[in-house]
Amino acid sequence: MIPDMAASGVEVSLDNLLLRAGVTRQQLDEARSRAAGEGGLGASLEKLGALSQVRWAAILAECLGLACSRSIDEASIEPPVLEAVTMQFCRKNHVLPLRIDEDRVVVATSDPLRLGPLDDLRVIYSREVDPVVVPAPMLADTINRAFDRAASESTDMLDILDVGGETELEGGDLSVPDLLESDDEAPIIRLVNTLIFQAAKNGASDIHIEPYEQASSVRFRIDGILDEVLRPPRRVHAAVTSRIKVMAAMDIAERRLPQDGGIRTRVAGRHLDIRISTVPTPFGERVVMRLLDRSATLLGIGELGLASGDLETFKRLIAQTHGIVLATGPTGSGKTTTLYAALSDINSEEKNIITIEDPIEYRLDGVGQIQVNPKIDLTFANGLRSILRQDPDVIMVGEIRDSETARIAIQASLTGHLVFSTLHTNDAFGAATRLLDMGIEPFLVSSSVIGIVAQRLVRKLCGQCSQLVSVAESGMAELGLGYMLGDNSRLRTAGPGCDACRGTGYSGRTAIYEMLVVDDAIRAQIMKRADAAALRESAIARGVSTLRSSGADKVRQGVTSVEEVLRATSDDFD
């Protein structure tokens, strides 16, 4: 059972046992002061040479009246028990479920003083928890080996059925209406279907399947971070790749050249568009699958995460009758989502809205949407020329990639059209200089662009396990904005991780923004071909918020952490 850590005598008893074991009072006090930064009291005592981790585990178990073990019999670990938890959860919380004994679950732990993870396991398994104290290094090694073995066992079915390759795949059912309804027993088909289902269930945006010399790696990108979920044997990689290419109507015989394709399917009733990209590597084809949920609800303009002042500014920009509004940022920063929210907000029967995209990520009622198709020379530039003959009020160009598209978009804005588009720059201030670098004349840029929005996505703190810390502990000073908070303020930061956030401390994402309205002062600088640094300095002097200051606001609100803001704004040096 979980020990009563609240008993007042626990700390005193632990001190007495440590002193009896030869630890001096000076060592104990010093270890306790360093414990937070060194992984706990036991690790601190070991670094001071006062006590080994094995002896620490024995003393801790004696103090709490728990069982103790110097080793774990890996053969006794029941693989089904591990299916309820992740390796990340176990590593972060220093626990490993071993087996279920009737109405109890036996759990190895190197830190039984942390009640939270043990209580989480009690809820996960709906059973009381029997902790067994083990030395931390041995527990860490066992966690790695146990989950590696579990991953290997998940591919044993493929070994037993002797998967041979493409011949078996070519006869598979290629028109499954819902992956969960497929009754096909071909192991590779079931493996691919399971990967797609699990990725969709976990909210992954991408699946990466990468071949290496000894094995393949399957990783999901969840909330912008890649996490390995499976390491199948290398010999099944070609069969998995072939199955995916068959589903996407790609050439399975061509393995020397990159290919692109797509799959449209349903998973548990959800409509998915999956974009497939393959590239050759020395060990086989590398596959990336981008999952787009067509049944997902579009965000409203008020749900984007814009601060109240920036939200009002953005609403004024998209309410204009002409001009260009640009969304900038790296791939995967949410630019298209922002523009779709803007289109939805201004969409009405009185307006003719047409988009040209690559690909069309969401379907919008009342909006004409055109898919780029280079094979028939339907490029952004050619499509944009045709759109102008359709009497549009509002145009969205998926991306300005070249000077030809930029010139047509600018001419459209100067002839009475409102144009939305995206541009790949690090911040809002670099967008104008990027257009100038494309060969666009300064007077055209300054007279057509009315607003630029830069953005990044940051992970949101888990609502279940986030923790309150002081301003100093939060790292707010690293953002250069710590002076905005009082010394007594407390901020939320990522916790140790829980089942709700898959042990990461984060769940979901939100955006941070940088909004530049092109006013007379900015126009004058553009006419002088001022660089991005000069535009930034001028805008900040007049109170324009930057990506980093927007992130600091989110930290103050308890939405995200300093670490996330620093990760997302590494190119922002204000």
Side-chain angles (χ1 to χ4, degrees):
M1 61 178 291
I2 299 176
D4 181 10
M5 304 303 176
S8 60
V10 167
E11 186 171 329
V12 175
S13 299
L14 182 58
D15 284 4
N16 290 338
L17 289 170
L18 289 170
L19 292 171
R20 280 207 310 241
V23 179
T24 67
R25 173 57 65 179
Q26 181 180 358
Q27 288 174 323
L28 183 55
D29 291 342
E30 184 177 353
R32 191 159 270 137
S33 68
R34 295 164 49 177
E38 294 186 347
L41 184 58
S44 295
L45 288 169
E46 183 181 45
K47 286 182 180 179
L48 290 172
L51 205 68
S52 70
Q53 288 277 17
V54 173
R55 186 69 180 126
W56 162 254
I59 290 174
L60 195 55
E62 181 182 352
C63 175
L64 300 173
L66 298 175
C68 180
S69 177
R70 293 192 175 197
S71 62
I72 299 175
D73 181 7
E74 292 182 41
S76 69
I77 300 174
E78 299 173 355
V81 176
L82 298 181
E83 293 176 2
V85 292
T86 64
M87 178 188 287
Q88 202 165 17
F89 173 86
C90 292
R91 282 175 174 172
K92 283 198 170 188
N93 296 296
H94 311 291
V95 294
L96 179 64
L98 303 177
R99 63 184 181 279
I100 293 176
D101 288 344
E102 297 180 356
D103 61 342
R104 317 186 80 79
V105 56
V106 180
V107 177
T109 176
S110 61
D111 192 359
L113 293 171
R114 293 176 63 187
L115 273 179
L118 296 176
D119 197 50
D120 288 342
L121 292 173
R122 180 179 60 79
V123 174
I124 290 170
Y125 292 101
S126 300
R127 289 174 169 84
E128 289 300 321
V129 171
D130 276 346
V132 177
V133 185
V134 296
M138 185 266 290
L139 177 64
D141 289 344
T142 306
I143 289 172
N144 292 336
R145 289 197 298 269
F147 278 92
D148 284 346
R149 189 181 67 173
S152 298
E153 289 179 359
S154 69
T155 62
D156 282 351
M157 168 194 64
L158 305 181
D159 298 341
I160 294 170
L161 294 177
D162 192 23
V163 176
E166 296 156 14
T167 305
E168 183 176 8
L169 299 174
E170 291 169 2
D173 180 8
L174 306 184
S175 56
V176 177
D178 191 309
L179 290 179
L180 297 184
E181 297 172 7
S182 172
D183 56 1
D184 201 313
E185 291 301 315
I188 292 297
I189 293 176
R190 282 187 286 134
L191 175 61
V192 172
N193 288 358
T194 300
L195 287 176
I196 295 173
F197 165 72
Q198 196 63 42
K201 177 185 174 184
N202 292 349
S205 61
D206 301 85
I207 304 172
H208 290 236
I209 305 174
E210 304 152 299
Y212 297 105
E213 188 170 4
Q214 301 299 327
S216 293
S217 171
V218 179
R219 297 188 291 173
F220 292 168
R221 187 180 293 279
I222 302 174
D223 292 338
I225 305 297
L226 282 170
D227 182 36
E228 186 172 81
V229 296
L230 187 67
R231 289 190 71 85
R234 162 79 187 288
R235 61 188 178 79
V236 305
H237 181 83
V240 169
T241 302
S242 293
R243 171 58 187 167
I244 293 170
K245 291 168 74 173
V246 166
M247 294 173 70
M250 298 161 69
D251 185 356
I252 65 171
E254 179 56 77
R255 301 179 180 178
R256 301 164 300 171
L257 296 173
Q259 292 189 63
D260 295 313
I263 302 170
R264 177 167 290 184
T265 187
R266 287 192 299 123
V267 175
R270 293 166 55 193
H271 293 267
L272 289 183
D273 279 342
I274 306 175
R275 290 154 53 188
I276 313 294
S277 171
T278 66
V279 294
T281 74
F283 303 110
E285 290 178 283
R286 190 180 192 275
V287 182
V288 174
M289 309 168 70
R290 167 65 58 89
L291 277 61
L292 302 172
D293 189 347
R294 289 186 287 128
S295 58
T297 304
L298 280 175
L299 293 179
I301 195 170
E303 301 173 287
L304 293 175
L306 284 161
S308 57
D310 287 341
L311 178 60
E312 292 306 314
T313 300
F314 191 53
K315 285 183 176 180
R316 288 198 301 271
L317 287 174
I318 66 176
Q320 301 299 309
T321 57
H322 62 277
I324 297 179
V325 177
L326 293 172
T328 73
T331 300
S333 60
K335 302 185 297 295
T336 304
T337 298
T338 296
L339 293 186
Y340 272 120
L343 290 178
S344 297
D345 189 72
I346 63 175
N347 188 15
S348 67
E349 293 182 358
E350 292 78 24
K351 290 181 178 176
N352 180 21
I353 302 176
I354 305 178
T355 73
I356 180 162
E357 308 169 58
D358 183 23
I360 297 172
E361 296 191 13
Y362 299 97
R363 308 288 175 174
L364 294 174
D365 289 336
V367 175
Q369 295 176 272
I370 301 170
Q371 167 75 53
V372 166
N373 189 347
K375 292 181 180 178
I376 57 173
D377 203 29
L378 179 53
T379 62
F380 278 119
N382 291 338
L384 189 50
R385 288 193 187 92
S386 299
I387 287 174
L388 291 174
R389 295 192 287 271
Q390 290 280 312
D391 185 31
D393 296 297
V394 180
I395 301 168
M396 187 182 90
V397 183
E399 183 184 346
I400 293 179
R401 296 176 177 172
D402 51 54
S403 59
E404 184 182 11
T405 305
R407 289 183 184 281
I408 300 171
I410 287 172
Q411 290 301 325
S413 72
L414 295 175
T415 53
H417 304 89
L418 180 63
V419 180
F420 296 150
S421 190
T422 69
L423 201 60
H424 285 286
T425 61
N426 286 330
D427 56 21
F429 312 102
T433 55
R434 175 63 58 84
L435 291 174
L436 295 176
D437 291 341
M438 287 182 177
I440 309 300
E441 292 78 0
F443 76 90
L444 289 177
V445 176
S446 63
S447 58
S448 61
V449 179
I450 60 175
I452 306 168
V453 181
Q455 64 185 87
R456 298 286 193 280
L457 292 179
V458 294
R459 292 183 293 172
K460 295 193 293 185
L461 295 173
C462 174
Q464 302 293 323
C465 66
S466 62
Q467 299 174 331
L468 279 172
V469 297
S470 68
V471 174
E473 293 174 308
S474 73
M476 193 71 169
E478 295 184 52
L479 294 179
L481 300 165
Y483 65 89
M484 301 174 72
L485 293 169
D487 293 336
N488 297 324
S489 299
R490 291 176 69 79
L491 297 172
R492 289 209 165 270
T493 190
C498 63
D499 193 53
C501 60
R502 305 177 310 279
T504 65
Y506 298 91
S507 180
R509 288 192 290 178
T510 188
I512 56 177
Y513 289 90
E514 182 174 81
M515 190 161 300
L516 177 65
V517 176
V518 180
D519 55 16
D520 290 341
I522 297 296
R523 289 191 188 97
Q525 288 184 289
I526 293 174
M527 289 296 292
K528 295 176 182 177
R529 292 184 176 272
D531 60 17
L535 290 174
R536 166 185 286 273
E537 185 178 351
S538 172
I540 292 175
R542 288 182 289 118
V544 172
S545 64
T546 63
L547 285 166
R548 189 156 286 186
S549 60
S550 174
D553 281 334
K554 290 288 197 298
V555 173
R556 284 196 294 270
Q557 296 164 18
V559 175
T560 189
S561 67
V562 169
E563 291 80 8
E564 272 298 289
V565 175
L566 290 171
R567 179 184 66 82
T569 62
S570 58
D571 294 317
D572 187 7
F573 299 106
D574 59 292

